[in-house]
Amino acid sequence: MATALESKPEHVRLTEQGKPVTLLEAIREGLWEEMERDERVFLMGEDIGVYGGAFKVTEGMLDAFGSLRVVDTPISEIGFTGAAAGAAHMGMRPVVEMQFIDFIACAYDMITNYVATSRYRGSGAVPMVIRGPSGGYVRGGPFHSQNPEAAFFHTPGLKIVYPATAYDAKGLIKAAIRDDDPVLFFEHKWLYRRPQLREVLPKEDYVVPIGKARTHREGKDLTIVTYAALVHKSAEAAEVLEKEDGLDVEIIDLRTILPLDDEAIVASVKKTNRLLIVHEDTRTGGIAGEIAMRVSEKAFEWLDAPIQRVTAIDAPIPYSPPLEDYFLPQTDDIVKAARWLAKY
Amino acid sequence: MANRTPTKRAAAAIPHGLERAQLLEMYRLVRLTRALEEKLELLFKQSKVVGGLFRSLGQEGESVASAYALRRRDDGTGDVLSPLIRNLGSMLTIGARPDEVVRQYMAKGDSPARGKELNIHFTDFDRGFIGQISPLGDLVPVMAGVALTFRQRGEDRVGMVYIGDGATSTGAFHEGINFAAVQKLPLVVVVENNGWAYSTPTRMQTAARSFAAKAAGYGAAAEQVDGNDMLAVYGVAKKAVDRARAGGGVTLIEVQTYRRKGHAQHDAQTYMDPAEIEHWATTNDPVDRYVAALTQNGWASTKELAAIDAEIDRELDEMIAQAETSPLPDAEEARTDVTGDGPVAAPWYRLSPPDPVKA
Ligand SMILES: Cc1ncc(C[n+]2csc(CCOP(=O)(O)OP(=O)(O)O)c2C)c(N)n1
């Protein structure tokens, strides 16, 4: 019917050296550098070419790498996820974008039954990345705000990454692409363009290893284990707790959800003796349950208080502002829960 | 005397068994759709719409005319449709009210979904509409199930489901239409070929010659129609609905139209050709074409139509003013209706005093 205009989006190669980048730009840089480094890497997804993706993560990449390596797909999550697996079998390193991570559910069968079991079944490793914007706090309603990590957390054979900083986002997307196993890479859309998260990234090539947590803030009174957007809400809470309660809160940013970095969690709990787990996903069957159990198995004797968690409530995510605010964990919730734990 | 049609010559015969009053009702609906979206756009620009806004500019005609072919009732015995993002016109035609739509967009507590869902994602089984969900294609199998029940119960009711050209690429679409065709269910599948799926042109969505051609692969009947000609759309929709009601099974209708706005309000449509948009706006606008048909055939006067327009504007301004005074929902409403067993637990740290054991 219609042809796209000749005028292409501005060529947005890498941000200027030394200029601080957002989390979104950090991901673009990571993808870009991997595309340049390894010609087996290619991108697939809806509207990622001319349009540059719904959030513009892949902007400029079609111009730079051509349509063989930046492949616009029909609206076919099962189709392009399966196709990525096939390409990976043939030695490629596909990175597929879910326009919103909510739609990863459409490809659930392909990911859990086919991709995740491939190595185990003797069909070989499947080095592919599935990435996309996830998370709430943006009034996106029930289908543009979800955090589906726990649905895949229970699937052996997958790795799950969910960065909270620009530095980590770039280093982890690179690590994910270089990993021989299938990696789900969640990108929090509330963090994408937050000016506070701008960082100057190293000039040199670097990766952030998958499976390693990071201490976001050192402390001795209480450990908060968290990831993604809630790292920043936890940090806000820690500031309040320091000022108003004189509490010294340690924050562990998991960065990788699967596999979990037990060592880092346990070491922190052994130091502070109190654990609060904070995540944006809903409560029942969430990641917090597994973390609590592992700490109970490995560090029960060190605990001075029952492990607690701050999470979304067990409901679908609603749309209207007061409802979304109630549904999602807020900074104040973390403050209250931490206070209770500290006093216990 | 004063209200006589201004044309001297006798009015042309109205096609498809429609009556003059119905022609005017369709006019009211299509104008209402456009006017309501324009008001919503204004509200969006004033930051009063929570979330996004999707316009159906240029597609209102097919939306209204296809739904108009359904048997409309409000007691749970009529036909049932499921819309897509751009089917505000279908929703209004089957019986959704503009004030409900405004409240939905503004996330109000007294909106049909009580702030839990957005835009036209809402349901009323009595009036015959089922709210879509965002994952594209899912409502095709759901509507197959609706049609299956009509047949199981021996009810002569029909289902109509809308799907974009892009959304026909989903697995759910294929599985749904295939199942409905195998079972010869009373289902009409309206494929809206508007040239685009977000930024993806239709040729990048399917290699098939046409969507109507796909129907043969499922064993469904097919129709292809100029989507900006409301009477033509009504004609094929009526035929498909009659066929379904008579036990003739599934029809896929490909309506050929054009999305004149971007995917949503935030989309600057830089990938589209402004000359092409202009061409559709000036030579192929469904409302203009319908007005021309009405007036040139002597079915309505411009004065009559202007009176309808004025009435719509007055109505909408009133509704919007009212909706604006409605409160947002209570926060704790977030805990309700997860299941039928009452609200889910409040988080312990929100209680006073917070106590995890008592929560
Ligand atoms: C399964 C799924 N994948 C991706 C999306 C994101 N998305 C929403 S609308 C849209 C384009 C829809 O195009 P089309 O079906 O042609 O309808 P139109 O917008 O043209 O009316 C996309 C990709 C979605 N909602 N569901």
Side-chain angles (χ1 to χ4, degrees):
Chain A
M1 208 169 211
T3 50
L5 280 181
E6 290 303 357
S7 73
K8 300 250 166 59
E10 252 207 8
H11 205 74
V12 272
R13 204 244 177 253
L14 298 180
T15 31
E16 248 171 78
Q17 262 318 324
K19 186 180 155 250
V21 299
T22 61
L23 186 133
L24 184 148
E25 289 162 342
I27 294 168
R28 183 191 298 137
E29 284 198 8
L31 291 170
W32 203 299
E33 288 176 14
E34 290 308 292
M35 291 277 277
E36 281 178 338
R37 189 189 58 80
D38 182 350
E39 61 185 19
R40 298 171 304 167
V41 178
F42 74 102
L43 312 180
M44 277 200 286
E46 295 153 15
D47 307 291
I48 65 166
V50 175
Y51 195 68
F55 288 86
K56 306 288 180 190
V57 173
T58 57
E59 187 162 33
M61 296 185 74
L62 175 66
D63 282 354
F65 299 102
S67 59
L68 287 177
R69 296 185 66 201
V70 180
V71 181
D72 266 322
T73 66
I75 305 172
S76 307
E77 281 75 11
I78 306 169
F80 62 73
T81 304
H89 284 327
M90 295 296 108
M92 300 297 278
R93 299 248 158 192
V95 180
V96 304
E97 173 175 302
M98 296 288 162
Q99 195 159 84
F100 282 83
I101 208 69
D102 310 61
F103 307 127
I104 198 173
C106 302
Y108 186 77
D109 163 61
M110 196 57 81
I111 296 167
T112 57
N113 281 326
Y114 191 82
V115 172
T117 63
S118 177
R119 186 195 278 272
Y120 194 68
R121 290 181 289 106
S123 282
V126 185
M128 62 186 274
V129 177
I130 301 175
R131 47 162 291 270
S134 57
Y137 301 99
V138 296
R139 321 303 193 200
F143 306 106
H144 292 81
S145 310
Q146 292 176 74
N147 276 292
E149 58 269 21
F152 297 95
F153 182 60
H154 193 60
T155 305
L158 299 178
K159 294 179 181 176
I160 303 176
V161 173
Y162 207 161
T165 67
Y167 178 91
D168 284 353
K170 179 171 177 182
L172 281 162
I173 192 69
K174 283 167 158 273
I177 291 170
R178 296 179 197 182
D179 201 290
D180 285 338
D181 286 308
V183 180
L184 309 188
F185 189 87
F186 296 100
E187 303 168 5
H188 205 292
K189 64 178 87 67
W190 185 69
L191 302 183
Y192 261 160
R193 298 174 202 274
R194 280 185 93 65
Q196 303 93 311
L197 297 192
R198 281 182 193 276
E199 265 183 272
V200 177
L201 302 182
K203 247 200 344 245
E204 320 68 54
D205 179 49
Y206 72 95
V207 294
V208 170
I210 291 177
K212 287 269 167 272
R214 173 183 69 90
T215 307
H216 184 76
R217 187 186 197 276
E218 299 248 15
K220 55 180 184 0
D221 296 332
L222 174 97
T223 296
I224 294 179
V225 168
T226 186
Y227 56 95
L230 273 298
V231 169
H232 304 289
K233 297 212 182 269
S234 297
E236 269 172 35
E239 294 296 313
V240 174
L241 290 160
E242 182 176 316
K243 240 190 254 136
E244 295 180 10
D245 306 65
L247 281 173
D248 191 10
V249 174
E250 176 145 304
I251 298 174
I252 304 293
D253 171 6
L254 289 174
R255 303 194 290 195
T256 299
I257 314 277
L258 191 66
L260 276 174
D261 187 353
D262 290 6
E263 231 174 273
I265 299 167
V266 167
S268 179
V269 170
K270 284 185 176 171
K271 182 166 104 177
T272 67
N273 314 112
R274 284 175 165 80
L275 174 61
L276 178 66
I277 308 159
V278 176
H279 64 57
E280 184 181 331
D281 191 11
T282 52
R283 199 169 183 81
T284 301
I287 313 294
E290 178 65 27
I291 295 171
M293 195 59 218
R294 290 193 194 187
V295 169
S296 150
E297 285 165 350
K298 295 184 179 178
F300 182 75
E301 301 289 317
W302 278 268
L303 287 170
D304 286 343
I307 301 166
Q308 293 298 336
R309 56 190 161 158
V310 170
T311 67
I313 64 170
D314 280 330
I317 179 162
Y319 163 61
S320 191
L323 303 186
E324 198 203 38
D325 290 348
Y326 187 92
F327 169 87
L328 289 171
Q330 306 295 340
T331 302
D332 198 41
D333 299 326
I334 303 168
V335 169
K336 282 194 188 140
R339 268 188 192 137
W340 183 89
L341 261 179
K343 279 201 202 110
Y344 186 90
Chain B
M1 292 289 130
N3 278 340
R4 280 195 24 216
T5 31
T7 39
K8 290 275 177 329
R9 60 196 166 81
I14 300 174
H16 313 305
L18 284 164
E19 286 166 13
R20 204 181 87 89
Q22 291 178 300
L23 293 182
L24 288 179
E25 191 185 11
M26 268 207 269
Y27 175 75
R28 195 183 62 76
L29 286 163
V30 78
R31 269 299 324 254
L32 176 63
T33 306
R34 181 162 295 179
L36 176 52
E37 279 192 6
E38 278 164 6
K39 300 273 184 202
L40 286 168
E41 191 167 321
L42 225 62
L43 290 170
F44 180 87
K45 287 177 179 154
Q46 299 165 351
S47 302
K48 289 175 182 167
V49 164
V50 179
L53 174 66
F54 302 85
R55 291 289 311 268
S56 69
L57 185 69
Q59 299 181 222
E60 304 96 331
E62 47 97 351
S63 235
V64 167
S66 51
Y68 203 78
L70 295 173
R71 184 195 287 161
R72 293 174 297 150
R73 292 189 183 158
D74 59 9
D75 61 354
T77 66
D79 296 334
V80 175
L81 68 73
S82 174
L84 217 73
I85 30 176
R86 287 179 225 293
N87 293 120
L88 175 61
S90 318
M91 288 285 281
L92 296 172
T93 302
I94 195 80
R97 294 189 313 270
D99 69 290
E100 294 176 312
V101 175
V102 172
R103 285 164 205 271
Q104 283 280 119
Y105 268 101
M106 296 178 93
K108 297 294 191 172
D110 57 1
S111 64
R114 297 182 323 289
K116 286 172 170 161
E117 252 283 25
L118 38 76
N119 60 50
I120 57 167
H121 292 202
F122 64 97
T123 297
D124 186 333
F125 293 120
D126 282 349
R127 283 178 281 172
F129 51 87
I130 300 186
Q132 62 159 131
I133 63 168
S134 297
L136 294 164
D138 284 9
L139 267 297
V140 181
V142 171
M143 288 301 294
V146 166
L148 180 71
T149 300
F150 293 160
R151 211 198 40 206
Q152 285 166 332
R153 293 198 193 137
E155 297 170 348
D156 69 340
R157 299 164 70 190
V158 171
M160 181 176 277
V161 60
Y162 292 86
I163 185 107
D165 49 289
T168 62
S169 301
T170 62
F173 167 77
H174 295 286
E175 297 190 21
I177 191 170
N178 185 60
F179 177 49
V182 165
Q183 291 281 340
K184 258 184 166 281
L185 299 176
L187 185 68
V188 180
V189 181
V190 181
V191 176
E192 299 177 301
N193 182 357
N194 64 7
W196 297 95
Y198 213 144
S199 73
T200 306
T202 304
R203 71 182 144 71
M204 293 294 290
Q205 200 66 241
T206 178
R209 193 161 40 77
S210 76
F211 292 97
K214 284 192 175 187
Y218 301 111
E223 300 279 356
Q224 198 173 35
V225 65
D226 176 347
N228 292 19
D229 177 344
M230 288 181 65
L231 288 170
V233 172
Y234 174 81
V236 299
K238 185 72 174 53
K239 192 167 132 196
V241 168
D242 288 347
R243 177 187 290 135
R245 212 184 300 287
V250 180
T251 305
L252 184 160
I253 300 176
E254 175 180 353
V255 294
Q256 295 172 311
T257 183
Y258 192 77
R259 193 195 76 200
R260 272 157 46 195
K261 289 276 189 175
H263 174 63
Q265 209 60 28
H266 60 258
D267 171 5
Q269 22 176 189
T270 46
Y271 50 86
M272 288 168 83
D273 180 352
E276 189 176 87
I277 300 171
E278 185 60 19
H279 177 74
W280 280 83
T282 51
T283 67
N284 209 348
D285 179 73
V287 181
D288 290 350
R289 282 179 65 183
Y290 191 53
V291 169
L294 291 176
T295 52
Q296 283 163 19
N297 287 307
W299 296 328
S301 70
T302 40
K303 224 172 118 192
E304 257 177 317
L305 301 183
I308 294 175
D309 296 354
E311 178 61 27
I312 287 170
D313 285 341
R314 202 167 38 243
E315 238 177 71
L316 285 181
D317 286 341
E318 227 168 82
M319 274 169 193
I320 289 166
Q322 268 181 16
E324 287 197 51
T325 65
S326 278
L328 292 170
D330 283 345
E332 301 236 350
E333 174 90 35
R335 296 198 283 124
T336 65
D337 281 338
V338 179
T339 67
D341 302 329
V344 298
W348 66 267
Y349 38 82
R350 301 257 176 97
L351 303 178
S352 173
D355 184 347
V357 181
K358 292 208 174 117

